[in-house]
Amino acid sequence: MSALFNFQAMLLVILLTICTSAYVRGIFPSLVDRNKEGFLGVFFIAARIGERLSPYVALACVAMAISYMQ
């Protein structure tokens, strides 16, 4: 089933986007920072969310992992 029709899969895609964007911004900040507008601005916003709300994002990742193990 695609992520559009499965809510749990959609949440997983969003969490992975946030985590990956924050990681890439930590390694290559200029790559993410130069694309603040347009379609690639989504990754800039996701990196900001990952940096500012990192404890909550980490908790959501752990909760998602536990829910997938059941």
Side-chain angles (χ1 to χ4, degrees):
M1 190 175 260
S2 72
L4 294 175
F5 302 116
N6 188 352
F7 185 69
Q8 189 174 11
M10 183 181 68
L11 285 178
L12 182 65
V13 168
I14 291 170
L15 279 173
L16 287 175
T17 302
I18 290 171
C19 294
T20 304
S21 298
Y23 177 76
V24 169
R25 188 174 188 278
I27 302 296
F28 302 110
S30 62
L31 183 67
V32 177
D33 287 343
R34 68 179 174 205
N35 298 317
K36 293 182 181 179
E37 296 178 359
F39 176 72
L40 295 177
V42 172
F43 299 111
F44 175 76
I45 293 170
R48 287 290 178 189
I49 292 171
E51 290 171 352
R52 294 182 181 172
L53 300 175
S54 60
Y56 300 110
V57 171
L59 202 69
C61 287
V62 170
M64 188 64 70
I66 290 171
S67 73
Y68 265 97
M69 287 196 298
Q70 292 180 353

